[in-house]
Amino acid sequence: MKIVVLDGYTENPGDLSWEGLGSLGELTVYDRTSLTDEQEVIRRIGGADIVLTNKTPVSRRVLDACPNVKFIAVLATGYNVVDVACAREKGIAVSNVPVYGTYSVSQFAIALLLEVCHHIGHHDQTVKAGRWESCPDWCYWDYPLIELEGKTMGLIGLGNIGRHTAQIAGALGMKVIAYDAWQNDAGRAVAEYVELDTLFAQSDVIVLHMPLLPFNTGLINRENIAKMKDGVIIINNSRGQMVVEQDLADALNAGKVAAAGLDVVSTEPIRGDNPLLRAKNCLITPHMSWGARESRQRIMDCTEENVKAYLDGSPVNVVN
C-alpha cells in the first residue's frame, strides 16, 4: 500500500514522527507541493493508494489522472482543498481530523486579545532599545491599557473552541454572549445565546470561532460593523474569508473598531496589497494558532487512526 504525504512540513517540521504512518505502508513524505501546479501534484501522487494533504489542492483533474487513489486523509479539519464530490463519484473516501486544536486555538485567541490590551511585544522592544533606562518617569506606556473585567465578549460560534474561549473569558471576569445556530446545554453553561444583531450591539470584544459557511462569508462588513459599539475589538483566528478586509481596514483607520487581532486573512500567505497590513491597530500573525506541538500531535494520531480504519475496511471521520 503506497502512501504519499503532499505537504508534511507544517504538520511536522521535525519535532514529530511519521513512523506510525510508515508502519502502515510504503510512505513518501514531501515537505511542500505546489498549491497551483496540478502536474506536480499528479507526479507526486503517482500510483499511490492513499494521499495525505493539508493545504495542497486535490482537484478533479488530479483525481482523474491518479486512478490508483482509494483514500484521502486531510491533515486538518477543513477539507475544502479536496474535490469531495468527485472523490465520492469515484468511490474514494475522504477523512478529516474533526477535533484537535480546541485548546491551542482558544488560547491563541485570548493571546491576541491580551496583546491588543497591553502591547507587551511593543513595550519589550522599547525597553531593550534603552527607552526605560533613560525615562524621566519610573514607568510609561504607549497605548491605552485595557482591563477586561466587566466587559462583554461576543463569540460568533460556540463549538468546542468557542466554549473553551468562553471559559477563559469568564475567568478574566468578562460577560460572555454567543451566537450559534446549534444551541446546546454545554454552550448555555458558559455563555448566553443571543441573536447576531444583539451580539454586534452589546459586545466590547467580538471573537470569530466558526468554520467558513455561506452565511458567514463576508460577515464582518461595513453594514455589520456599523451595528457594533464604537471602539469594539475584533479577534479572528478562524477563517479570513469571514471578514471584508477593506471594510475592516476602513473601520480601524476611522477608529470605529479600536483594534483587531488576526491570525487569518482571505488569501494565505498574505498578499502585499492586503489593506489590513497598513491599517491602524491591527495585529496579524501567520495562521499559527493551530501549531502547538500538542495540537499537531493530535492531528498525527487521528490521521494514523483514520488510515488504519480505512485499511481495516471501516473508515472513520468520513466527510463525503
Side-chain angles (χ1 to χ4, degrees), residues 260-271:
L262 312 173
D263 187 48
V264 290
V265 291
S266 61
T267 300
E268 298 173 348
I270 196 168
R271 292 169 44 130

Side-chain angles (χ1 to χ4, degrees), residues 76-216:
T77 301
Y79 49 87
N80 57 300
V81 295
V82 178
D83 189 329
V84 292
C86 177
R88 184 170 58 248
E89 291 170 16
K90 294 177 179 292
I92 301 169
V94 180
S95 290
N96 73 338
V97 181
V99 179
Y100 68 89
T102 298
Y103 305 110
S104 60
V105 175
S106 58
Q107 176 180 308
F108 201 93
I110 297 297
L112 286 170
L113 176 58
L114 293 177
E115 181 64 14
V116 165
C117 291
H118 301 295
H119 294 270
I120 291 170
H122 163 82
H123 289 99
D124 168 70
Q125 291 176 355
T126 66
V127 169
K128 290 173 180 174
R131 184 171 160 196
W132 196 15
E133 180 182 1
S134 60
C135 184
D137 304 304
W138 66 273
C139 73
Y140 62 89
W141 52 89
D142 291 338
Y143 297 88
L145 303 179
I146 300 170
E147 183 176 278
L148 294 172
E149 166 73 31
K151 291 185 171 58
T152 298
M153 174 180 285
L155 286 162
I156 301 179
L158 200 59
N160 290 326
I161 295 171
R163 289 195 299 272
H164 195 65
T165 300
Q167 289 175 322
I168 303 172
L172 292 170
M174 301 187 76
K175 175 185 177 182
V176 184
I177 59 178
Y179 170 81
D180 199 305
W182 297 275
Q183 300 183 13
N184 54 56
D185 290 341
R188 293 185 189 94
V190 294
E192 174 191 352
Y193 286 110
V194 297
E195 294 300 316
L196 195 53
D197 280 354
T198 301
L199 184 145
F200 288 146
Q202 294 184 0
S203 299
D204 300 293
V205 178
I206 293 175
V207 183
L208 307 180
H209 274 326
M210 271 191 171
L212 187 65
L213 300 166
F215 98 90
N216 63 30

Side-chain angles (χ1 to χ4, degrees), residues 213-224:
L213 300 166
F215 98 90
N216 63 30
T217 300
L219 181 68
I220 304 304
N221 55 37
R222 187 181 308 276
E223 179 183 355
N224 286 332

Side-chain angles (χ1 to χ4, degrees), residues 197-260:
D197 280 354
T198 301
L199 184 145
F200 288 146
Q202 294 184 0
S203 299
D204 300 293
V205 178
I206 293 175
V207 183
L208 307 180
H209 274 326
M210 271 191 171
L212 187 65
L213 300 166
F215 98 90
N216 63 30
T217 300
L219 181 68
I220 304 304
N221 55 37
R222 187 181 308 276
E223 179 183 355
N224 286 332
I225 290 171
K227 301 173 185 176
M228 299 175 191
K229 287 184 177 182
D230 292 344
V232 67
I233 296 168
I234 295 175
I235 304 295
N236 184 16
N237 61 337
S238 54
R239 289 293 181 266
Q241 295 89 341
M242 293 175 67
V243 174
V244 178
E245 290 167 335
Q246 187 62 62
D247 290 358
L248 177 57
D250 291 345
L252 285 162
N253 291 331
K256 170 67 178 181
V257 175

